[in-house]
Amino acid sequence: MKIYYNQKLKQYSRDLRNNSTLSEVLLWKQLKGRKMKGYQFMRQKPIEKYIVDFYCSKLKLAIEVDGSSHNEKAEKDLKRQTELEKLGIIFLRLDDNLIKTQIHHIIRVIEDFIEELEKQNQLQTTP
């Protein structure tokens, strides 16, 4: 299924990148430049009418950083995630505080998640 890039969100996406939280900056340092198992990630990626924190198109993986601001909008986040999952996008939600305090653990969580996705994709492509 084709994923639509919403050009109208380009400036808002840029604004979000320029005003990133500390945890987003810390995580981006680990994801940029294909450092995460050779996969290319983009940050504040517009998809349809939403923007996800980090996105890898090859894996169709969205990584979301959930801080205290997400507590008030959990229902809205769930609706957004459900709509994007209909496009085949897989979500990995990470806690803001854990990124700031245990980045090495978070890196391992992401690597393990990607390895699991790779295994699933191999099973799906094998006749």
Side-chain angles (χ1 to χ4, degrees):
M1 182 173 286
K2 180 110 169 108
I3 294 177
Y4 172 69
Y5 175 82
N6 189 337
Q7 190 71 27
K8 293 177 185 174
L9 293 176
K10 185 176 183 177
Q11 185 59 49
Y12 183 54
S13 174
R14 184 175 290 140
D15 293 343
L16 288 172
R17 282 193 301 275
N18 290 331
N19 296 294
S20 297
T21 65
L22 175 59
S23 55
E24 289 171 341
V25 170
L26 293 172
L27 188 54
W28 180 239
K29 286 182 179 182
Q30 302 303 317
L31 297 174
K32 70 179 180 179
R34 297 182 185 265
K35 289 180 196 168
M36 186 59 63
K37 298 183 69 55
Y39 288 101
Q40 180 179 8
F41 280 86
M42 294 160 277
R43 63 184 186 145
Q44 302 303 339
K45 173 70 174 165
I47 301 173
E48 300 290 328
K49 60 184 180 180
Y50 304 106
I51 296 176
V52 296
D53 291 336
F54 302 97
Y55 184 69
C56 174
S57 59
K58 185 164 183 150
L59 295 168
K60 289 184 115 177
L61 172 61
I63 298 177
E64 286 290 298
V65 176
D66 291 341
S68 58
S69 70
H70 286 267
N71 295 341
E72 297 93 49
K73 52 184 185 174
E75 194 173 309
K76 194 176 185 181
D77 282 348
L78 181 61
K79 179 183 184 281
R80 172 177 158 267
Q81 180 173 331
T82 302
E83 285 187 34
L84 292 174
E85 284 175 336
K86 290 177 184 173
L87 300 173
I89 295 172
I90 299 154
F91 276 75
L92 175 59
R93 302 192 86 81
L94 301 172
D95 181 80
D96 174 76
N97 287 323
L98 286 178
I99 293 169
K100 289 187 266 192
T101 60
Q102 299 179 35
I103 191 69
H104 295 295
H105 171 70
I106 291 295
I107 293 165
R108 190 68 217 152
V109 166
I110 297 169
E111 288 172 341
D112 290 347
F113 195 86
I114 289 173
E115 287 171 14
E116 197 56 41
L117 287 176
E118 290 171 333
K119 286 179 192 173
Q120 290 174 11
N121 287 337
Q122 285 176 348
L123 291 175
Q124 290 173 358
T125 57
T126 305

